[in-house]
Amino acid sequence: MRLFGTSKINGKGHLTIGGCDVADLAMQFGTPLYIIDEELVRKNCSIFREGFAADDIDTEVIYASKAFINLAMCKIINEEGLSLDVVSGGELFTALKAGFPPEKIYMHGNNKTYQEIEMAVKAGIGRIVADNLLELELIEEVCRVSNKSVDILLRVNPGIDAHTHAYIQTSKHDSKFGESIFGENIESMLQHLKDSRNICLKGFHCHIGSQIFEEESFYSEADVMMNFLAELKEKTGFVTEELNLGGGFGVYYSKGDRPVDLKICLKNMLEIVKKQAASLGIKQPKVMIEPGRSIIANAGTTIYEVGGVKNTYSGRNYVFVDGGMTDNPRTALYDAKYDAIVANKAAEASAAEFTVAGKCCESGDVLIRDIELPMAEKGDILAVLSTGAYNYSMASNYNRIPRPAVVLVKDGNARLAVKRESYEDIISNDIMI
Ligand code: LLP
């Protein structure tokens, strides 16, 4: 088991995060509870800010907010000097409400609605990342009606086969995202944009997948994209100003995970862009990246109260917790693996192998299969580690279970960032007929 950031075990044998005893947080805020280690979030931002920078190349780090977004998180990201990737009207709304500078917002999505594009154009966001020709026409229409103009990037697909779960691979030839760099559509789009008065094409965006451990995938991506920019210039004369290489840097969840060394990987990506620009004789573009998971995953911990332990006829030991696939659907969806610790028995040796299951009416509602834990019992606090990314943001109300609260911890202080949903919240949009 690996503890991240400010997580420690105190003299009482309790897990502490940000100087707060997790057992006390459970008492104060209730369970389940998402705990965010603010110092680690800020540290991760600085690793990217400093690692993806060099004197001789213009760079920008954009946090992919789909991993975890709320008003407080937008504020932290802004304070840390990162830009923001949003992928829906809801994420854009949150960012704008948090006072995030619109010019530092990038809007993604493979099927943006008229209303979402209108919201983005009216707010004056930095870039819309257009997915296809139909979308260009929609952006054009919104700009014409609102008498505004917008800078865009085109989402392209470099066909890199990054080794990760099939559901989070995004760059295979049959991906729903972007246009392939091997097809004809990109040239048609350039042709279309030549006559546009409202849309200014700044460059290209790609993203090869998520939870990627092979640094080679990122190097191939940079290399393939630079070659594509050179070929495009040769064929059409288009000079690319900006190249966004997306996110996807894998993180440690459990034994066997080997994340790339970010410092090395980020520097090497920049080197490839610089070298290729020189050798291919094209303008060196500004380069962007969009980490989501690698900023927030390890900074999040979900705590649950154990409701009981059950031994099945087949010999499986279940630990039942008061949350489950509603606050963390990743095990059910991707067969994701997590580590956990009994927060109030953090110094005790493991006693048996357990399966951590939630409270949903679903056999697949399992958070962790086969984990060694100390003898867990009713009332214990179980902490599932590295749940910062794609947990709160993918949570649901299945079985009408309210979403947990989110608390930020730092230097012994705990600040509520998102309130726990109430039963009243759950029925707030229902209309009795
Ligand atoms: N940029 C774009 C365009 C993306 O589509 C994504 C993730 C990112 C950046 C950030 O990728 P990251 O650095 O977080 O890997 N729900 C899945 C992950 C889906 C990722 C979707 N796109 C999961 O829980 O593993």
Side-chain angles (χ1 to χ4, degrees), residues 64 66 85 155 168 207 210 248 290 292-293 330 334 390 394:
K66 70 207 78 180
D85 142 6
R155 169 107 187 218
I168 48 178
H207 169 78
S210 201
E290 276 168 355
R293 191 192 309 271
R330 296 194 68 259
Y334 316 117
Y390 304 110
M394 292 178 76

Side-chain angles (χ1 to χ4, degrees), residues 12-211:
K12 283 198 227 166
H14 287 189
L15 174 66
T16 69
I17 310 175
C20 299
D21 187 320
V22 161
D24 295 342
L25 293 175
M27 291 258 274
Q28 192 183 345
F29 296 97
T31 55
L33 180 69
Y34 297 111
I35 302 171
I36 303 293
D37 180 347
E38 185 179 337
E39 197 176 299
L40 183 54
V41 177
R42 293 184 186 274
K43 188 174 158 220
N44 289 340
C45 289
S46 71
I47 289 173
F48 278 98
R49 207 177 48 230
E50 287 154 24
F52 198 66
D55 292 339
D56 52 357
I57 186 161
D58 196 7
T59 60
E60 185 174 357
V61 179
I62 305 163
Y63 169 64
S65 73
K66 70 207 78 180
F68 178 77
I69 179 172
N70 47 60
L71 298 176
M73 185 64 181
C74 290
K75 181 160 180 267
I76 292 173
I77 292 298
N78 190 29
E79 285 170 359
E80 290 302 320
L82 269 55
S83 300
L84 201 74
D85 142 6
V86 299
V87 73
S88 70
E91 288 182 357
L92 176 58
F93 184 82
T94 308
L96 295 173
K97 279 281 175 191
F100 204 91
E103 67 280 6
K104 291 176 71 183
I105 300 179
Y106 287 71
M107 173 94 171
H108 286 276
N110 67 300
N111 185 24
K112 305 172 192 72
T113 63
Y114 187 95
Q115 288 78 9
E116 285 174 324
I117 296 172
E118 189 180 37
M119 199 171 152
V121 167
K122 283 194 173 156
I125 73 161
R127 302 278 180 277
I128 293 182
V129 183
D131 187 86
N132 54 60
L133 185 58
L134 271 179
E135 196 169 280
L136 283 185
E137 288 168 5
L138 205 57
I139 298 171
E140 189 91 56
E141 168 74 3
V142 170
C143 287
R144 195 184 52 73
V145 172
S146 51
N147 197 23
K148 299 233 182 220
S149 55
V150 68
D151 291 338
I152 68 157
L153 301 179
L154 288 184
R155 169 107 187 218
V156 301
N157 183 348
I160 306 279
D161 191 5
H163 293 156
T164 184
H165 192 286
Y167 288 4
I168 48 178
Q169 262 184 351
T170 44
S171 196
K172 294 203 316 194
H173 292 305
D174 62 351
S175 166
K176 74 167 181 170
F177 297 105
E179 295 289 358
S180 170
I181 59 170
F182 303 103
E184 310 286 307
N185 291 356
I186 294 172
E187 279 171 54
S188 323
M189 284 159 88
L190 285 192
Q191 196 57 40
H192 180 89
L193 286 170
K194 265 193 182 154
D195 309 322
S196 172
R197 272 190 280 139
N198 303 310
I199 304 181
C200 176
L201 176 64
K202 292 286 184 184
F204 298 92
H205 169 278
C206 59
H207 169 78
I208 56 173
S210 201
Q211 185 61 357

Side-chain angles (χ1 to χ4, degrees), residues 359-380:
K359 61 190 271 98
C360 294
C361 194
E362 181 102 13
S363 304
D365 177 25
V366 164
L367 291 174
I368 306 175
R369 274 186 196 87
D370 307 331
I371 179 170
E372 293 278 337
L373 292 173
M375 200 40 81
E377 45 195 347
K378 188 173 170 58
D380 279 344

